[in-house]
Amino acid sequence: MMKIRKVVIPAAGWGTRFLPATKALPKEMLPLADKPLIQYIVEEAILSGMEQIIIVTSSGKSAIQDHFDRDFELEYILEQKGERGLLEEVRRIADLANICYIRQKEQLGLGHAILTAEEFIGREPFAVFLPDDIFDAEVPLLKQMGEVYQRYQGSVLAVRRVAKEETKRYGIIKPKQIEERLYQVLDVVEKPEEAPSDLAILGRYILTPEIFEALKTTPPGWGGEIQLSDGLALMLQKQAVYGYEFEGEYYDAGNPLGLLKATVALALSHPQIGADFKEYLRGLSTDL
Ligand code: UTP
């Protein structure tokens, strides 16, 4: 059976929900506590054992490439200033991983972004990590899902129960439970009016390469975009797809309120600033 070695990180979207912050800055470079969102994702990919990272970008996203590159001038200045800790951190980021970049020339949707990576992936199962979705889990989600993949040999989606009124914001599965926490996916509907369940797909996937054939015949769906959910709905007619209710915390960093909530949660557990930040929040809560 084939090992999962490659991960696609789609980062070519417009990030309209964050305007004006994202007019000149890629959404994926917005900071969460003290790191840009995409750094959390790349670090998680490495922890999950990924050997090759493919980031799908678009025009105006060069800050992402710069972030993971060496910057000799900055390193020189930090060295001159005697900032050893910062220097090591800046070098560590550049040495994190070998990253390939591929451009999605037109923003035709998440499904289309994944299709642009087909040549890099070839005919092997692969992972997809969405940079908007941040997880805090003892065992990285991909490791939890990989165990299901090994037993069932099909695509695995990370799912979680959401409140009824939230279902219209997500891709929702129609589930058939087969084990504790594990479902066969009978259908997928993107942002449904009438949700088939309360199990939402979140941004971690293990996909078999048959997804590419499905995406090639997927018509534009919600928002006029080629949706990954619609590609999955096509694929599961030929090959079983599974949903795994993962263990861990989830933060939706894809909109301003969600990013603020994620910032508070991560800042509170931050080793350097956590204690002071907690004190600050305690002081605030008496005013609210
Ligand atoms: P989102 O819909 O959350 O991102 O897509 P967006 O389109 O950038 O943001 P809004 O909705 O305008 O605020 C999920 C992921 O898919 C990527 C995005 O970059 C994001 O990481 N994506 C989306 C692409 O790479 N290409 C696309 O054509 C669409």
Side-chain angles (χ1 to χ4, degrees), residues 1-4 145-154 156:
M1 195 191 32
M2 285 181 93
K3 188 174 172 285
I4 294 146
M145 294 156 68
E147 197 265 323
V148 175
Y149 170 76
Q150 295 201 346
R151 281 192 292 129
Y152 286 89
Q153 310 262 316
V156 186

Side-chain angles (χ1 to χ4, degrees), residues 10-17 27-28 104 107-110 113 130-132:
W14 285 105
T16 51
R17 282 168 292 171
K27 168 172 85 172
E28 300 75 18
Q104 184 193 23
Q107 279 53 71
L108 300 179
L110 172 60
L130 301 191
D132 284 4

